[in-house]
Amino acid sequence: MAKRRAAFYLMTIPALLLFFAFHTFPALQGIYYSFTNWDGYSKSFDYVGFKNFINIFKDENVLNSYLFTFKYAIATTVLINIISLLIALGLNAKIKAKNFFRGVYFLPNILSVLIVGFIFNYLFSNVFPVWGEKLGSDFLSQNILGNSDWAWIGIVIVAVWQGIAYNTILYLAGLQTIPHDLYEASNLDGASRWREFWSITFPLLASFFTINMVLAMKGGLMVFDQIIALTGGGPGRSTQSIALLIYTGGFQGGEFAYQSANAVIYFIVIVVISALQLKFLQKREMDL
Amino acid sequence: MIKKSTNWPVTVIIALCSLLILFPLYMTVAIALKNPEEMARSIFSLPTGLHFENFANAIKATNFFNALGNSATITVTAVVFILLTNSMVAYAIARNMNKRFFKMLYFYFISAMFIPFQIIMLPVVKVTTDLHMNNIPGLIILYIVYGLAFNVFVYVGYIRSIPYELEEAATVDGASTWGTFWRIIFPLLAPVNATIGILSCLSTWNDFMLPLILLGNQDSYTLPLVQYVFQGQFSTDFNLAFASYLLALSPMIVIYLFAQKWIIGGLTQGSIK
Protein backbone atom coordinates (compact mmCIF):
# COMPACT_ATOMS: atom_id res chain seq x y z
CA MET A 1 0.00 0.00 0.00
CA ALA A 2 2.85 2.36 0.81
CA LYS A 3 4.29 1.66 -2.59
CA ARG A 4 0.98 2.54 -4.22
CA ARG A 5 0.83 5.81 -2.35
CA ALA A 6 4.43 6.61 -3.28
CA ALA A 7 3.59 6.02 -6.94
CA PHE A 8 0.66 8.43 -6.82
CA TYR A 9 2.84 11.12 -5.26
CA LEU A 10 5.54 10.52 -7.85
CA MET A 11 2.94 11.01 -10.58
CA THR A 12 1.82 14.38 -9.29
CA ILE A 13 4.62 16.11 -7.40
CA PRO A 14 6.85 16.93 -10.41
CA ALA A 15 3.82 18.42 -12.17
CA LEU A 16 2.92 20.38 -9.06
CA LEU A 17 6.43 21.82 -8.76
CA LEU A 18 6.62 22.77 -12.44
CA PHE A 19 3.17 24.30 -12.36
CA PHE A 20 4.07 26.31 -9.31
CA ALA A 21 7.36 27.45 -10.84
CA PHE A 22 5.96 28.54 -14.20
CA HIS A 23 2.42 29.54 -13.39
CA THR A 24 1.75 30.37 -9.75
CA PHE A 25 5.16 31.86 -9.00
CA PRO A 26 5.04 34.28 -11.98
CA ALA A 27 1.48 35.20 -11.00
CA LEU A 28 2.63 36.00 -7.45
CA GLN A 29 5.61 37.88 -8.82
CA GLY A 30 3.26 39.90 -11.01
CA ILE A 31 1.23 40.83 -7.96
CA TYR A 32 4.42 41.76 -6.11
CA TYR A 33 5.72 43.97 -8.94
CA SER A 34 2.38 45.72 -9.13
CA PHE A 35 3.26 47.39 -5.80
CA THR A 36 6.62 48.67 -7.07
CA ASN A 37 7.85 51.14 -9.65
CA TRP A 38 10.02 48.70 -11.63
CA ASP A 39 10.33 49.50 -15.34
CA GLY A 40 11.41 45.99 -16.35
CA TYR A 41 15.15 46.55 -16.86
CA SER A 42 16.59 48.72 -14.07
CA LYS A 43 18.68 47.11 -11.34
CA SER A 44 16.78 48.72 -8.50
CA PHE A 45 13.22 49.72 -7.80
CA ASP A 46 11.10 50.92 -4.92
CA TYR A 47 7.96 49.80 -3.20
CA VAL A 48 5.20 52.30 -3.95
CA GLY A 49 2.14 50.77 -2.31
CA PHE A 50 -1.14 51.26 -4.09
CA LYS A 51 0.10 54.13 -6.24
CA ASN A 52 -0.06 52.12 -9.49
CA PHE A 53 -3.60 51.01 -8.78
CA ILE A 54 -4.74 54.53 -8.00
CA ASN A 55 -3.13 55.85 -11.16
CA ILE A 56 -4.73 53.17 -13.28
CA PHE A 57 -8.18 54.39 -12.32
CA LYS A 58 -7.19 57.87 -13.48
CA ASP A 59 -5.54 56.71 -16.70
CA GLU A 60 -7.62 57.49 -19.77
CA ASN A 61 -5.77 54.92 -21.92
CA VAL A 62 -6.61 52.18 -19.46
CA LEU A 63 -10.21 53.28 -19.25
CA ASN A 64 -10.47 53.33 -23.04
CA SER A 65 -8.98 49.87 -23.36
CA TYR A 66 -11.52 48.52 -20.88
CA LEU A 67 -14.38 50.18 -22.72
CA PHE A 68 -13.21 48.84 -26.07
CA THR A 69 -12.61 45.34 -24.69
CA PHE A 70 -16.04 45.14 -23.05
CA LYS A 71 -17.81 46.50 -26.11
CA TYR A 72 -15.96 44.00 -28.26
CA ALA A 73 -16.44 41.04 -25.90
CA ILE A 74 -20.18 41.60 -25.50
CA ALA A 75 -20.74 42.09 -29.24
CA THR A 76 -18.78 38.97 -30.20
CA THR A 77 -20.38 36.83 -27.47
CA VAL A 78 -23.90 37.76 -28.52
CA LEU A 79 -23.29 37.49 -32.27
CA ILE A 80 -21.28 34.27 -32.07
CA ASN A 81 -23.92 32.56 -29.97
CA ILE A 82 -26.90 33.63 -32.06
CA ILE A 83 -25.28 32.81 -35.39
CA SER A 84 -23.71 29.54 -34.33
CA LEU A 85 -26.99 28.34 -32.82
CA LEU A 86 -28.77 29.13 -36.10
CA ILE A 87 -26.11 27.36 -38.14
CA ALA A 88 -26.18 24.37 -35.81
CA LEU A 89 -29.96 24.14 -36.25
CA GLY A 90 -29.48 24.29 -40.01
CA LEU A 91 -26.76 21.65 -39.99
CA ASN A 92 -28.95 19.43 -37.83
CA ALA A 93 -31.88 19.64 -40.24
CA LYS A 94 -32.42 17.27 -43.15
CA ILE A 95 -30.09 18.94 -45.62
CA LYS A 96 -28.02 17.72 -48.54
CA ALA A 97 -24.25 17.25 -48.22
CA LYS A 98 -24.46 17.58 -44.44
CA ASN A 99 -20.93 16.37 -43.76
CA PHE A 100 -19.44 18.65 -46.39
CA PHE A 101 -21.08 21.73 -44.86
CA ARG A 102 -20.07 20.70 -41.35
CA GLY A 103 -16.52 20.51 -42.62
CA VAL A 104 -16.77 23.96 -44.20
CA TYR A 105 -18.27 25.66 -41.15
CA PHE A 106 -15.67 24.19 -38.84
CA LEU A 107 -12.73 25.05 -41.10
CA PRO A 108 -12.04 28.56 -39.68
CA ASN A 109 -11.42 27.06 -36.25
CA ILE A 110 -8.25 25.30 -37.39
CA LEU A 111 -6.70 28.41 -38.94
CA SER A 112 -4.25 30.72 -37.19
CA VAL A 113 -6.06 33.78 -35.82
CA LEU A 114 -3.11 35.98 -36.75
CA ILE A 115 -3.00 34.91 -40.39
CA VAL A 116 -6.79 35.09 -40.75
CA GLY A 117 -6.44 38.63 -39.40
CA PHE A 118 -3.84 39.51 -42.02
CA ILE A 119 -6.08 38.15 -44.79
CA PHE A 120 -9.07 40.17 -43.60
CA ASN A 121 -6.89 43.22 -43.17
CA TYR A 122 -6.28 43.10 -46.91
CA LEU A 123 -9.95 42.43 -47.68
CA PHE A 124 -11.01 45.43 -45.60
CA SER A 125 -8.51 47.76 -47.22
CA ASN A 126 -8.61 46.59 -50.86
CA VAL A 127 -11.60 44.37 -51.60
CA PHE A 128 -14.65 45.50 -49.64
CA PRO A 129 -14.18 49.19 -50.57
CA VAL A 130 -14.41 48.17 -54.26
CA TRP A 131 -17.87 46.80 -53.56
CA GLY A 132 -18.74 49.89 -51.56
CA GLU A 133 -17.87 52.08 -54.54
CA LYS A 134 -20.01 49.97 -56.84
CA LEU A 135 -22.91 50.41 -54.44
CA GLY A 136 -22.21 54.13 -54.52
CA SER A 137 -21.86 54.40 -50.75
CA ASP A 138 -19.19 56.72 -49.41
CA PHE A 139 -19.28 54.96 -46.08
CA LEU A 140 -18.80 51.46 -47.47
CA SER A 141 -16.06 52.48 -49.89
CA GLN A 142 -13.67 53.42 -47.09
CA ASN A 143 -11.44 51.05 -45.15
CA ILE A 144 -13.44 50.45 -42.00
CA LEU A 145 -10.24 49.65 -40.05
CA GLY A 146 -8.95 53.15 -40.71
CA ASN A 147 -11.94 54.82 -39.10
CA SER A 148 -11.55 55.23 -35.36
CA ASP A 149 -15.32 55.03 -34.76
CA TRP A 150 -15.87 51.87 -36.78
CA ALA A 151 -12.61 49.92 -36.66
CA TRP A 152 -13.91 47.86 -33.74
CA ILE A 153 -16.76 46.58 -35.94
CA GLY A 154 -14.16 45.23 -38.38
CA ILE A 155 -12.46 43.30 -35.59
CA VAL A 156 -15.81 41.95 -34.42
CA ILE A 157 -16.58 40.72 -37.96
CA VAL A 158 -13.32 38.77 -38.15
CA ALA A 159 -13.72 37.33 -34.66
CA VAL A 160 -17.27 36.22 -35.41
CA TRP A 161 -16.24 34.75 -38.78
CA GLN A 162 -13.71 32.58 -37.01
CA GLY A 163 -15.42 32.12 -33.64
CA ILE A 164 -18.72 30.63 -34.82
CA ALA A 165 -16.92 27.44 -35.90
CA TYR A 166 -16.23 26.05 -32.45
CA ASN A 167 -19.52 27.14 -30.91
CA THR A 168 -21.46 25.65 -33.82
CA ILE A 169 -19.83 22.28 -33.17
CA LEU A 170 -20.72 22.47 -29.48
CA TYR A 171 -24.34 23.41 -30.23
CA LEU A 172 -24.54 20.66 -32.82
CA ALA A 173 -23.33 18.17 -30.22
CA GLY A 174 -26.01 19.53 -27.90
CA LEU A 175 -28.76 19.20 -30.48
CA GLN A 176 -27.86 15.57 -31.02
CA THR A 177 -28.45 14.80 -27.35
CA ILE A 178 -32.14 15.81 -27.64
CA PRO A 179 -34.34 12.73 -28.11
CA HIS A 180 -36.38 12.63 -31.31
CA ASP A 181 -39.59 11.51 -29.67
CA LEU A 182 -39.93 14.89 -27.94
CA TYR A 183 -40.38 16.48 -31.36
CA GLU A 184 -42.76 13.75 -32.44
CA ALA A 185 -44.88 14.41 -29.37
CA SER A 186 -44.93 18.15 -29.95
CA ASN A 187 -45.83 17.56 -33.60
CA LEU A 188 -48.82 15.52 -32.50
CA ASP A 189 -49.84 18.32 -30.16
CA GLY A 190 -49.64 20.69 -33.13
CA ALA A 191 -46.91 22.91 -31.73
CA SER A 192 -45.49 25.48 -34.14
CA ARG A 193 -41.82 25.47 -35.09
CA TRP A 194 -41.30 28.62 -33.06
CA ARG A 195 -42.97 27.12 -30.00
CA GLU A 196 -40.98 23.92 -30.47
CA PHE A 197 -37.73 25.85 -30.41
CA TRP A 198 -38.50 27.84 -27.26
CA SER A 199 -40.17 24.99 -25.35
CA ILE A 200 -37.95 22.04 -26.29
CA THR A 201 -34.75 22.84 -28.14
CA PHE A 202 -33.56 25.92 -26.30
CA PRO A 203 -34.22 24.70 -22.74
CA LEU A 204 -32.53 21.38 -23.46
CA LEU A 205 -29.49 23.18 -24.82
CA ALA A 206 -29.13 25.15 -21.56
CA SER A 207 -25.84 23.63 -20.43
CA PHE A 208 -24.31 24.08 -23.88
CA PHE A 209 -25.54 27.66 -23.89
CA THR A 210 -23.75 28.26 -20.57
CA ILE A 211 -20.47 26.78 -21.81
CA ASN A 212 -20.61 28.73 -25.06
CA MET A 213 -21.45 32.04 -23.41
CA VAL A 214 -18.65 31.72 -20.85
CA LEU A 215 -16.08 30.58 -23.42
CA ALA A 216 -16.98 33.28 -25.94
CA MET A 217 -16.93 36.00 -23.30
CA LYS A 218 -13.59 34.89 -21.90
CA GLY A 219 -12.12 34.70 -25.39
CA GLY A 220 -13.47 38.16 -26.16
CA LEU A 221 -12.01 39.70 -23.01
CA MET A 222 -8.57 38.30 -23.87
CA VAL A 223 -8.50 39.47 -27.50
CA PHE A 224 -4.96 40.02 -28.74
CA ASP A 225 -4.00 38.26 -32.01
CA GLN A 226 -6.83 39.77 -34.08
CA ILE A 227 -5.90 43.26 -32.99
CA ILE A 228 -2.22 42.80 -33.77
CA ALA A 229 -3.13 41.60 -37.26
CA LEU A 230 -5.91 44.07 -38.04
CA THR A 231 -5.25 47.45 -36.46
CA GLY A 232 -2.33 47.22 -34.04
CA GLY A 233 -4.61 49.06 -31.60
CA GLY A 234 -5.32 52.01 -33.88
CA PRO A 235 -6.43 54.28 -35.35
CA GLY A 236 -5.16 56.31 -32.43
CA ARG A 237 -5.85 54.03 -29.52
CA SER A 238 -9.41 53.23 -30.48
CA THR A 239 -8.97 49.44 -30.67
CA GLN A 240 -6.38 48.92 -27.98
CA SER A 241 -7.52 45.92 -25.96
CA ILE A 242 -6.46 45.36 -22.35
CA ALA A 243 -4.21 42.45 -23.36
CA LEU A 244 -2.53 44.59 -26.01
CA LEU A 245 -2.05 47.49 -23.59
CA ILE A 246 -0.41 45.21 -21.01
CA TYR A 247 1.84 43.76 -23.71
CA THR A 248 2.94 47.03 -25.30
CA GLY A 249 3.16 49.04 -22.08
CA GLY A 250 4.86 46.25 -20.16
CA PHE A 251 7.44 45.17 -22.72
CA GLN A 252 8.06 48.26 -24.77
CA GLY A 253 6.85 51.19 -22.72
CA GLY A 254 8.91 50.63 -19.55
CA GLU A 255 5.70 50.24 -17.55
CA PHE A 256 6.39 46.76 -16.20
CA ALA A 257 5.09 47.43 -12.69
CA TYR A 258 2.27 49.69 -13.79
CA GLN A 259 0.95 47.18 -16.32
CA SER A 260 1.36 44.42 -13.72
CA ALA A 261 -1.12 46.35 -11.61
CA ASN A 262 -3.36 46.60 -14.65
CA ALA A 263 -3.06 42.82 -15.12
CA VAL A 264 -4.10 42.24 -11.49
CA ILE A 265 -7.23 44.33 -11.99
CA TYR A 266 -7.87 42.58 -15.31
CA PHE A 267 -7.61 39.22 -13.55
CA ILE A 268 -10.15 40.26 -10.93
CA VAL A 269 -12.50 41.53 -13.63
CA ILE A 270 -12.33 38.26 -15.59
CA VAL A 271 -12.89 36.10 -12.52
CA VAL A 272 -15.86 38.19 -11.38
CA ILE A 273 -17.47 38.18 -14.83
CA SER A 274 -16.96 34.44 -15.34
CA ALA A 275 -18.34 33.68 -11.88
CA LEU A 276 -21.37 35.92 -12.38
CA GLN A 277 -22.06 34.39 -15.79
CA LEU A 278 -21.83 30.87 -14.42
CA LYS A 279 -24.04 31.69 -11.48
CA PHE A 280 -26.68 33.45 -13.55
CA LEU A 281 -26.73 30.96 -16.43
CA GLN A 282 -26.63 27.87 -14.26
CA LYS A 283 -29.53 29.14 -12.21
CA ARG A 284 -31.44 29.31 -15.45
CA GLU A 285 -30.48 25.68 -16.15
CA MET A 286 -31.83 24.51 -12.82
CA ASP A 287 -35.13 26.32 -13.17
CA LEU A 288 -36.09 24.13 -16.10
CA MET B 1 -44.09 12.20 -38.12
CA ILE B 2 -40.52 13.31 -38.75
CA LYS B 3 -40.03 14.45 -42.30
CA LYS B 4 -37.73 12.19 -44.22
CA SER B 5 -37.41 14.34 -47.32
CA THR B 6 -34.63 16.87 -47.82
CA ASN B 7 -35.31 20.29 -46.38
CA TRP B 8 -34.41 22.37 -49.44
CA PRO B 9 -34.92 25.90 -48.04
CA VAL B 10 -32.51 25.17 -45.19
CA THR B 11 -30.05 23.52 -47.57
CA VAL B 12 -30.02 26.63 -49.75
CA ILE B 13 -29.54 28.97 -46.77
CA ILE B 14 -26.72 26.83 -45.36
CA ALA B 15 -25.07 26.69 -48.77
CA LEU B 16 -25.30 30.47 -49.28
CA CYS B 17 -23.93 31.21 -45.82
CA SER B 18 -21.06 28.80 -46.38
CA LEU B 19 -19.95 31.08 -49.21
CA LEU B 20 -19.17 33.68 -46.53
CA ILE B 21 -16.70 31.19 -45.06
CA LEU B 22 -15.27 30.13 -48.38
CA PHE B 23 -14.93 33.56 -50.00
CA PRO B 24 -11.95 34.82 -47.92
CA LEU B 25 -10.26 31.48 -48.49
CA TYR B 26 -10.88 31.68 -52.23
CA MET B 27 -9.40 35.18 -52.23
CA THR B 28 -6.33 33.92 -50.39
CA VAL B 29 -5.69 31.25 -52.99
CA ALA B 30 -6.49 33.54 -55.92
CA ILE B 31 -4.22 36.38 -54.75
CA ALA B 32 -1.41 33.95 -53.95
CA LEU B 33 -1.50 32.70 -57.54
CA LYS B 34 -1.63 36.08 -59.31
CA ASN B 35 0.90 38.74 -60.11
CA PRO B 36 0.41 42.48 -59.57
CA GLU B 37 -0.67 43.05 -63.19
CA GLU B 38 -3.47 40.53 -62.96
CA MET B 39 -4.48 42.05 -59.65
CA ALA B 40 -4.75 45.45 -61.25
CA ARG B 41 -7.13 44.07 -63.90
CA SER B 42 -9.50 42.43 -61.45
CA ILE B 43 -9.10 41.39 -57.84
CA PHE B 44 -11.87 38.81 -57.96
CA SER B 45 -11.27 36.90 -61.16
CA LEU B 46 -9.68 33.50 -61.28
CA PRO B 47 -5.92 33.65 -61.71
CA THR B 48 -4.84 33.06 -65.32
CA GLY B 49 -1.11 32.56 -65.17
CA LEU B 50 -0.66 30.56 -61.94
CA HIS B 51 2.34 32.39 -60.56
CA PHE B 52 4.02 29.74 -58.51
CA GLU B 53 7.09 31.94 -58.23
CA ASN B 54 5.20 33.73 -55.45
CA PHE B 55 5.53 30.57 -53.40
CA ALA B 56 9.19 30.11 -54.22
CA ASN B 57 9.88 33.70 -53.17
CA ALA B 58 7.82 33.37 -50.01
CA ILE B 59 9.67 30.20 -49.03
CA LYS B 60 12.96 32.04 -49.38
CA ALA B 61 11.84 35.28 -47.71
CA THR B 62 10.41 33.64 -44.59
CA ASN B 63 12.77 30.66 -44.41
CA PHE B 64 9.55 28.66 -44.53
CA PHE B 65 10.91 25.16 -44.04
CA ASN B 66 12.81 26.20 -40.94
CA ALA B 67 9.65 27.69 -39.41
CA LEU B 68 7.61 24.67 -40.47
CA GLY B 69 10.15 22.41 -38.78
CA ASN B 70 10.02 24.49 -35.60
CA SER B 71 6.22 24.51 -35.47
CA ALA B 72 6.08 20.78 -36.13
CA THR B 73 8.73 19.96 -33.50
CA ILE B 74 7.06 22.12 -30.87
CA THR B 75 3.54 20.86 -31.59
CA VAL B 76 4.37 17.15 -31.84
CA THR B 77 6.60 17.10 -28.77
CA ALA B 78 4.21 19.17 -26.68
CA VAL B 79 1.15 17.12 -27.63
CA VAL B 80 2.88 13.77 -26.98
CA PHE B 81 4.06 14.89 -23.55
CA ILE B 82 0.73 16.52 -22.73
CA LEU B 83 -1.07 13.23 -23.38
CA LEU B 84 1.45 11.17 -21.41
CA THR B 85 1.93 13.44 -18.40
CA ASN B 86 -1.35 15.31 -17.99
CA SER B 87 -3.32 12.07 -18.07
CA MET B 88 -1.00 10.57 -15.46
CA VAL B 89 -1.44 13.50 -13.10
CA ALA B 90 -5.19 13.34 -13.60
CA TYR B 91 -5.19 9.60 -12.87
CA ALA B 92 -3.42 10.05 -9.55
CA ILE B 93 -5.85 12.83 -8.64
CA ALA B 94 -9.00 10.99 -9.79
CA ARG B 95 -8.18 7.87 -7.78
CA ASN B 96 -7.34 9.78 -4.59
CA MET B 97 -10.04 12.40 -4.46
CA ASN B 98 -10.84 11.33 -0.89
CA LYS B 99 -7.39 12.50 0.23
CA ARG B 100 -6.93 16.16 1.01
CA PHE B 101 -3.67 16.62 -0.88
CA PHE B 102 -5.07 15.37 -4.17
CA LYS B 103 -8.36 17.15 -3.81
CA MET B 104 -6.57 20.45 -3.21
CA LEU B 105 -4.30 19.71 -6.14
CA TYR B 106 -7.36 19.25 -8.35
CA PHE B 107 -8.85 22.59 -7.40
CA TYR B 108 -5.42 24.23 -7.59
CA PHE B 109 -5.01 23.17 -11.21
CA ILE B 110 -8.51 23.91 -12.44
CA SER B 111 -8.70 27.28 -10.73
CA ALA B 112 -5.82 28.33 -12.98
CA MET B 113 -8.23 28.17 -15.92
CA PHE B 114 -9.56 31.51 -14.80
CA ILE B 115 -6.21 33.25 -14.66
CA PRO B 116 -5.73 35.28 -17.82
CA PHE B 117 -2.35 34.75 -19.41
CA GLN B 118 -1.65 38.49 -19.26
CA ILE B 119 -1.21 38.43 -15.51
CA ILE B 120 1.72 36.03 -15.77
CA MET B 121 2.93 37.23 -19.15
CA LEU B 122 5.40 39.85 -17.92
CA PRO B 123 7.01 37.85 -15.06
CA VAL B 124 7.13 34.58 -17.02
CA VAL B 125 9.42 36.19 -19.57
CA LYS B 126 11.72 37.20 -16.75
CA VAL B 127 11.67 33.72 -15.16
CA THR B 128 12.28 31.89 -18.45
CA THR B 129 15.06 34.27 -19.48
CA ASP B 130 16.81 33.82 -16.12
CA LEU B 131 16.64 30.04 -16.58
CA HIS B 132 17.78 30.26 -20.25
CA MET B 133 14.48 28.80 -21.29
CA ASN B 134 13.62 31.45 -23.85
CA ASN B 135 13.97 28.89 -26.64
CA ILE B 136 12.09 25.97 -28.20
CA PRO B 137 12.59 23.45 -25.36
CA GLY B 138 11.44 26.09 -22.87
CA LEU B 139 8.36 26.83 -24.95
CA ILE B 140 7.49 23.12 -25.10
CA ILE B 141 7.78 22.79 -21.31
CA LEU B 142 5.46 25.76 -20.83
CA TYR B 143 2.83 24.27 -23.15
CA ILE B 144 2.94 20.97 -21.26
CA VAL B 145 2.69 22.64 -17.86
CA TYR B 146 -0.02 25.13 -18.84
CA GLY B 147 -2.06 22.31 -20.36
CA LEU B 148 -2.66 20.94 -16.85
CA ALA B 149 -5.30 23.52 -15.95
CA PHE B 150 -7.84 22.48 -18.53
CA ASN B 151 -6.72 18.91 -19.27
CA VAL B 152 -6.79 17.72 -15.65
CA PHE B 153 -10.39 18.88 -15.51
CA VAL B 154 -11.36 16.85 -18.58
CA TYR B 155 -9.30 13.76 -17.75
CA VAL B 156 -10.44 13.54 -14.12
CA GLY B 157 -14.07 13.70 -15.20
CA TYR B 158 -13.52 10.81 -17.59
CA ILE B 159 -11.32 8.66 -15.35
CA ARG B 160 -13.88 8.78 -12.56
CA SER B 161 -16.38 7.15 -14.90
CA ILE B 162 -14.06 4.16 -15.42
CA PRO B 163 -15.06 1.37 -13.01
CA TYR B 164 -12.56 0.78 -10.24
CA GLU B 165 -12.97 -3.02 -10.46
CA LEU B 166 -10.78 -3.14 -13.55
CA GLU B 167 -7.85 -1.82 -11.58
CA GLU B 168 -8.53 -4.00 -8.56
CA ALA B 169 -8.33 -7.06 -10.79
CA ALA B 170 -4.98 -5.86 -12.10
CA THR B 171 -3.70 -5.22 -8.58
CA VAL B 172 -4.69 -8.71 -7.51
CA ASP B 173 -2.71 -10.01 -10.47
CA GLY B 174 0.31 -8.15 -9.12
CA ALA B 175 0.38 -5.06 -11.35
CA SER B 176 2.02 -1.99 -9.82
CA THR B 177 0.34 1.43 -9.91
CA TRP B 178 2.49 2.40 -12.89
CA GLY B 179 1.70 -0.84 -14.68
CA THR B 180 -2.01 -0.38 -14.02
CA PHE B 181 -1.93 3.11 -15.42
CA TRP B 182 0.04 2.38 -18.57
CA ARG B 183 -1.50 -0.96 -19.41
CA ILE B 184 -5.10 -0.56 -18.30
CA ILE B 185 -6.09 3.06 -17.84
CA PHE B 186 -4.12 4.82 -20.57
CA PRO B 187 -5.52 2.65 -23.39
CA LEU B 188 -9.05 3.23 -22.04
CA LEU B 189 -8.49 6.97 -22.28
CA ALA B 190 -8.37 6.84 -26.10
CA PRO B 191 -11.48 9.00 -26.72
CA VAL B 192 -10.37 11.75 -24.29
CA ASN B 193 -6.82 11.50 -25.57
CA ALA B 194 -8.17 12.16 -29.06
CA THR B 195 -10.06 15.23 -27.90
CA ILE B 196 -7.22 16.62 -25.84
CA GLY B 197 -4.70 15.77 -28.53
CA ILE B 198 -6.67 17.67 -31.18
CA LEU B 199 -7.34 20.67 -28.97
CA SER B 200 -3.71 20.91 -27.82
CA CYS B 201 -2.47 20.43 -31.35
CA LEU B 202 -4.62 23.28 -32.67
CA SER B 203 -3.82 25.68 -29.86
CA THR B 204 -0.07 24.95 -29.90
CA TRP B 205 0.27 25.11 -33.67
CA ASN B 206 -1.64 28.38 -33.95
CA ASP B 207 -0.36 30.05 -30.79
CA PHE B 208 1.18 33.41 -31.42
CA MET B 209 1.57 35.16 -28.07
CA LEU B 210 3.85 32.76 -26.21
CA PRO B 211 6.37 32.42 -29.09
CA LEU B 212 6.18 36.20 -29.56
CA ILE B 213 7.22 37.03 -26.01
CA LEU B 214 9.51 34.06 -25.44
CA LEU B 215 11.54 33.26 -28.54
CA GLY B 216 14.56 35.52 -28.92
CA ASN B 217 16.40 33.80 -31.75
CA GLN B 218 15.02 34.22 -35.28
CA ASP B 219 16.03 30.66 -36.15
CA SER B 220 13.55 29.32 -33.64
CA TYR B 221 10.51 31.27 -34.92
CA THR B 222 7.26 29.41 -35.52
CA LEU B 223 5.00 29.78 -38.56
CA PRO B 224 2.63 32.45 -37.18
CA LEU B 225 5.54 34.40 -35.73
CA VAL B 226 7.35 34.40 -39.07
CA GLN B 227 4.27 35.84 -40.80
CA TYR B 228 4.18 38.58 -38.19
CA VAL B 229 7.86 39.46 -38.45
CA PHE B 230 7.84 39.57 -42.24
CA GLN B 231 4.56 41.45 -42.44
CA GLY B 232 6.43 44.75 -42.79
CA GLN B 233 8.49 43.52 -45.74
CA PHE B 234 5.42 42.17 -47.49
CA SER B 235 3.44 45.37 -47.38
CA THR B 236 4.33 46.26 -50.95
CA ASP B 237 3.87 42.81 -52.47
CA PHE B 238 0.49 41.33 -51.62
CA ASN B 239 0.91 38.34 -53.91
CA LEU B 240 4.04 37.32 -52.07
CA ALA B 241 2.35 37.94 -48.70
CA PHE B 242 -0.65 35.79 -49.60
CA ALA B 243 1.53 33.02 -50.97
CA SER B 244 3.25 33.05 -47.62
CA TYR B 245 -0.04 33.02 -45.66
CA LEU B 246 -1.29 30.14 -47.76
CA LEU B 247 1.92 28.19 -47.17
CA ALA B 248 1.61 28.78 -43.44
CA LEU B 249 -2.04 27.70 -43.35
CA SER B 250 -1.71 24.73 -45.67
CA PRO B 251 -0.23 22.06 -43.33
CA MET B 252 -3.26 22.31 -41.02
CA ILE B 253 -5.69 22.47 -43.93
CA VAL B 254 -4.19 19.32 -45.47
CA ILE B 255 -4.42 17.47 -42.15
CA TYR B 256 -7.98 18.72 -41.75
CA LEU B 257 -9.03 17.51 -45.20
CA PHE B 258 -7.84 14.00 -44.41
CA ALA B 259 -8.93 13.79 -40.78
CA GLN B 260 -11.97 16.09 -40.81
CA LYS B 261 -14.51 13.57 -39.59
CA TRP B 262 -12.18 12.41 -36.89
CA ILE B 263 -11.30 15.92 -35.74
CA ILE B 264 -14.91 17.11 -35.51
CA GLY B 265 -15.93 13.82 -33.89
CA GLY B 266 -13.14 14.05 -31.34
CA LEU B 267 -14.10 17.57 -30.32
CA THR B 268 -17.77 16.70 -30.08
CA GLN B 269 -17.05 13.71 -27.91
CA GLY B 270 -15.06 15.75 -25.44
CA SER B 271 -17.66 18.47 -25.16
CA ILE B 272 -20.57 16.23 -24.24
CA LYS B 273 -19.08 15.42 -20.86
Side-chain angles (χ1 to χ4, degrees), chain A residues 8 22 24 26 29 33 94-95 103 105-107 110 114 122 127 131 161 170 173 180 193 218 224 243, chain B residues 2-3 7 11 14 17-18 20-21 31 39 44 96 108 113 118 123 126 146 206 209 224 256 267-268 271:
Chain A
F8 283 131
F22 295 114
T24 312
Q29 258 191 320
Y33 287 128
K94 294 254 178 290
I95 60 167
Y105 280 106
F106 190 64
L107 183 61
I110 65 155
L114 185 81
Y122 177 84
V127 176
W131 293 346
W161 183 87
L170 289 187
H180 264 300
R193 275 295 169 86
K218 221 179 118 204
F224 182 81
Chain B
I2 289 186
K3 277 185 241 143
N7 190 336
T11 306
I14 284 287
C17 291
S18 73
L20 293 174
I21 303 283
I31 296 171
M39 295 270 285
F44 305 106
N96 294 286
Y108 174 54
M113 276 198 283
Q118 281 72 26
K126 205 176 139 332
Y146 291 166
N206 288 327
M209 193 185 249
Y256 182 64
L267 292 178
T268 315
S271 64

Side-chain angles (χ1 to χ4, degrees), chain B:
Chain B
M1 289 302 282
I2 289 186
K3 277 185 241 143
K4 286 273 185 289
S5 58
T6 304
N7 190 336
W8 282 108
V10 174
T11 306
V12 171
I13 295 170
I14 284 287
L16 286 176
C17 291
S18 73
L19 294 179
L20 293 174
I21 303 283
L22 292 172
F23 173 73
L25 300 172
Y26 160 74
M27 289 299 292
T28 309
V29 177
I31 296 171
L33 286 169
K34 288 181 189 178
N35 67 10
E37 270 167 51
E38 286 177 89
M39 295 270 285
R41 248 175 280 143
S42 163
I43 309 182
F44 305 106
S45 65
L46 284 163
T48 46
L50 300 186
H51 291 272
F52 287 111
E53 75 267 15
N54 290 334
F55 293 96
N57 292 337
I59 286 172
K60 233 185 290 162
T62 62
N63 203 355
F64 172 76
F65 288 107
N66 182 53
L68 179 70
N70 291 338
S71 278
T73 311
I74 293 169
T75 307
V76 171
T77 321
V79 170
V80 168
F81 278 97
I82 283 172
L83 294 179
L84 296 178
T85 61
N86 291 5
S87 61
M88 186 172 76
V89 174
Y91 170 67
I93 291 176
R95 287 298 181 236
N96 294 286
M97 276 297 236
N98 51 349
K99 296 201 186 76
R100 222 175 61 195
F101 172 76
F102 292 96
K103 195 165 193 161
M104 301 234 319
L105 203 56
Y106 177 69
F107 288 111
Y108 174 54
F109 285 141
I110 65 169
S111 63
M113 276 198 283
F114 289 96
I115 297 182
F117 182 68
Q118 281 72 26
I119 191 179
I120 62 171
M121 173 169 78
L122 303 170
V124 92
V125 171
K126 205 176 139 332
V127 172
T128 47
T129 313
D130 289 347
L131 295 171
H132 302 289
M133 275 176 56
N134 48 350
N135 46 30
I136 289 179
L139 194 60
I140 293 172
I141 291 175
L142 290 188
Y143 284 132
I144 300 167
V145 174
Y146 291 166
L148 283 165
F150 174 73
N151 297 345
V152 160
F153 176 67
V154 178
Y155 273 126
V156 166
Y158 192 84
I159 293 170
R160 297 187 86 182
S161 71
I162 299 175
Y164 201 49
E165 285 76 30
L166 279 171
E167 287 160 67
E168 273 172 355
T171 316
V172 171
D173 289 345
S176 68
T177 309
W178 297 99
T180 312
F181 175 70
W182 291 119
R183 284 208 292 249
I184 304 195
I185 299 296
F186 194 74
L188 286 174
L189 293 178
V192 212
N193 280 335
T195 305
I196 291 195
I198 293 163
L199 282 175
S200 326
C201 178
L202 288 174
S203 61
T204 314
W205 181 270
N206 288 327
D207 186 37
F208 167 61
M209 193 185 249
L210 213 47
L212 172 72
I213 60 171
L214 216 65
L215 296 178
N217 184 351
Q218 275 219 7
D219 287 335
S220 56
Y221 282 2
T222 59
L223 280 174
L225 193 53
V226 163
Q227 305 307 312
Y228 173 66
V229 170
F230 285 86
Q231 168 74 359
Q233 302 179 19
F234 285 157
S235 58
T236 48
D237 190 342
F238 287 117
N239 305 105
L240 179 65
F242 274 72
S244 175
Y245 300 155
L246 193 56
L247 279 171
L249 293 177
S250 54
M252 264 301 164
I253 296 182
V254 170
I255 293 174
Y256 182 64
L257 288 181
F258 284 106
Q260 189 209 104
K261 229 178 178 170
W262 199 69
I263 291 174
I264 296 181
L267 292 178
T268 315
Q269 210 154 22
S271 64
I272 292 179
K273 274 230 75 72

